[in-house]
Amino acid sequence: MEQWQKQLRNSISDVDQLPARFGSNAEEMRRVAAVYPFRVTEYYLELIKEIGDPLWLQCIPDPRELDDDRQLPDPLHESRLSPVPGLIHRYPDRVVWLVSQSCALYCRFCMRKRHVGCGGEQIFNENNAVAYITEHPAIRDVVLSGGDPLLLDDDRLEHILTGLRRIPHVEIIRIGTRLPVTLPQRVTRKLCRMLKNFQPVYINTHFNHPSEITDASAQACRMLAECGSPLGNQTVLLKGVNDDPETMKRLMQQLLRIRVRPYYLHQIDLVRGTGHFRTSIAKGLEIMEKLRGHTSGLAVPYFMIDLPGGKGKVPLVPGQVDVRGNTLLLKNYLEETVEYPDICDGDGTG
Ligand SMILES: *Cc1c(COP(=O)(O)O)cnc(C)c1O
Ligand code: SF4
């Protein structure tokens, strides 16, 4: 057994095992954990400074999860968009393949709360998924997600990647993983040597707060970058965790230092059990206004809203363009309205 697997086995999934300094209301936590699974690594627990801090909020069960009935378990209709179990095919040229049902830490705000961590590792038949992708030549981009794909052992992962690389029309593979944040020891030299053989493999990780950037997580990202994977980051905008412009700016800037390029900032989905993390759209737009122009463009992610009913992701931009005939009125980061002439030759289609 590898070191990271031992650490995973030592992770805490019973609220009674929480150190006394976190066990303020074990009874209530247990009630929540009976509905939505609980797990946290010792590594991540060590990063928590006090009850209620941004890291604590992300992993410790909260009674508010149980009295949130306004929202839906699956607002994005992922189940309906699933042609074979484990695959979500919403856009013509790319699919999401849920290759794992487990995570090292169960985020309390998880969009797939309805099944992640609920047991039954084999949620898909690998051959069926590969056959579906093979039969659909329009698919050029396969996103491995879950759960966390890097919780599969190296052999399992290599088998999946080998299957995908045999399909000529699969141009790129993406892996969405939170393990650099929650169990950075998972990124071993052996894993990196293996990934090197399947490039281009884009890795999107998931940091939500600057305190999650540590020496260990920085090293995991460096190793992944050195095996040739471009690194991106998807952050979820979370009340009490990162919903202020200064925290968000620091997070984005610090990610660039560890070679991770901010990709998406997600408005949290309308998923049941996560309502206490919701922020207004206006809050997200305010944060975006305070990033764009105020820091490196590389540090500015797209602010995305995933439309209910599986209608797709849409970027939201603060101070959208105001079109007046052939003149665009654009608001810059200083909130000046600037005119931009919309001139092109010919019929105006550019
Ligand atoms: C988010 C998502 C993708 C990937 O979208 P990109 O904008 O290309 O990153 C693909 N399929 C589904 C179902 C998704 O939810
Ligand atoms: S790592 Fe991702 S899939 Fe796993 S619990 Fe967190 S948000 Fe959900």
Side-chain angles (χ1 to χ4, degrees):
M1 190 181 283
E2 293 184 57
Q3 194 61 31
W4 67 271
Q5 288 167 319
K6 285 195 195 121
Q7 281 165 316
L8 187 65
R9 193 192 266 181
N10 289 340
S11 66
I12 292 165
S13 54
D14 178 347
V15 295
D16 293 317
Q17 291 171 281
L18 280 174
R21 65 188 183 112
F22 299 133
S24 54
N25 51 3
E27 187 53 47
E28 275 192 318
M29 286 186 201
R30 214 171 296 125
R31 218 159 39 86
V32 178
V35 179
Y36 299 116
F38 165 64
R39 172 145 89 175
V40 59
T41 54
E42 290 180 323
Y43 163 81
Y44 197 84
L45 264 190
E46 284 295 311
L47 302 180
I48 296 176
K49 295 194 187 81
E50 58 187 13
I51 289 180
D53 79 11
L55 276 56
W56 190 92
L57 287 172
Q58 292 186 65
C59 63
I60 303 295
D62 186 312
R64 287 174 294 181
E65 293 173 43
L66 296 181
D67 47 56
D68 177 23
D69 52 9
R70 291 161 304 150
Q71 311 178 60
L72 305 166
D74 179 18
L76 305 178
H77 291 190
E78 290 191 333
S79 308
R80 193 170 55 71
L81 291 167
S82 186
V84 300
L87 277 191
I88 309 165
H89 195 183
R90 179 201 285 165
Y91 301 108
D93 74 339
R94 51 214 193 277
V95 284
V96 172
W97 183 0
L98 307 175
V99 293
S100 155
Q101 279 232 84
S102 319
C103 299
L105 177 159
Y106 291 120
C107 310
R108 309 319 298 173
F109 52 84
C110 178
M111 64 170 290
R112 302 215 177 94
K113 225 173 151 117
R114 71 189 184 284
H115 59 216
V116 161
C118 299
E121 194 51 56
Q122 187 73 24
I123 48 163
F124 63 94
N125 177 314
E126 201 176 306
N127 295 334
N128 291 350
V130 169
Y132 180 87
I133 297 168
T134 306
E135 287 156 17
H136 291 76
I139 298 171
R140 39 163 289 288
D141 175 2
V142 177
V143 183
L144 301 183
S145 181
D148 204 308
L150 292 190
L151 274 198
L152 301 179
D153 63 34
D154 293 348
D155 290 345
R156 201 60 209 293
L157 200 56
E158 184 167 24
H159 192 254
I160 288 173
L161 294 171
T162 305
L164 290 175
R165 275 288 170 240
R166 283 205 194 103
I167 308 173
H169 54 266
V170 171
E171 295 172 4
I172 63 170
I173 297 170
R174 295 194 244 179
I175 295 178
T177 175
R178 206 170 183 218
L179 291 189
V181 184
T182 57
L183 185 65
Q185 299 78 7
R186 169 62 183 106
V187 180
T188 59
R189 274 198 289 274
K190 182 161 160 276
L191 173 73
C192 293
R193 266 199 308 274
M194 192 264 282
L195 290 176
K196 213 171 187 161
N197 298 325
F198 297 96
Q199 296 295 344
V201 178
Y202 286 74
I203 295 183
N204 260 331
T205 184
H206 178 171
F207 287 85
N208 288 328
H209 191 275
S211 305
E212 293 171 339
I213 301 179
T214 62
D215 290 346
S217 59
Q219 177 176 327
C221 291
R222 183 171 62 244
M223 288 170 69
L224 290 170
E226 283 169 1
C227 79
S229 285
L231 304 182
N233 186 70
Q234 305 196 193
T235 295
V236 182
L237 181 53
L238 300 166
K239 189 189 244 160
V241 174
N242 56 20
D243 61 336
D244 85 273
E246 270 314 305
T247 304
M248 195 62 83
K249 186 161 84 183
R250 213 155 21 95
L251 172 63
M252 299 302 155
Q253 292 172 338
Q254 296 311 306
L255 284 171
L256 289 179
R257 286 190 68 182
I258 61 167
R259 300 167 69 166
V260 175
R261 163 81 157 101
Y263 179 50
Y264 285 163
L265 170 63
H266 292 279
Q267 172 70 9
I268 190 169
D269 292 319
L270 293 157
V271 170
R272 182 176 298 161
T274 63
H276 58 293
F277 285 112
R278 283 193 76 75
T279 52
S280 66
I281 297 282
K283 171 57 79 177
L285 290 173
E286 178 204 333
I287 288 172
M288 291 305 295
E289 261 177 356
K290 292 188 172 157
L291 289 175
R292 174 60 67 196
H294 295 274
T295 188
S296 322
L298 283 171
V300 185
Y302 288 99
F303 177 40
M304 302 300 278
I305 180 165
D306 211 341
L307 296 174
K311 296 290 183 190
K313 293 186 183 70
V314 177
L316 299 181
V317 183
Q320 303 266 8
V321 191
D322 185 0
V323 183
R324 304 268 172 87
N326 285 335
T327 303
L328 306 183
L329 299 180
L330 303 169
K331 210 154 70 163
N332 74 359
Y333 69 105
L334 297 172
E335 303 204 24
E336 300 160 335
T337 300
V338 182
E339 288 190 10
Y340 183 93
D342 188 15
I343 301 168
C344 50
D345 294 334
D347 62 6
T349 57

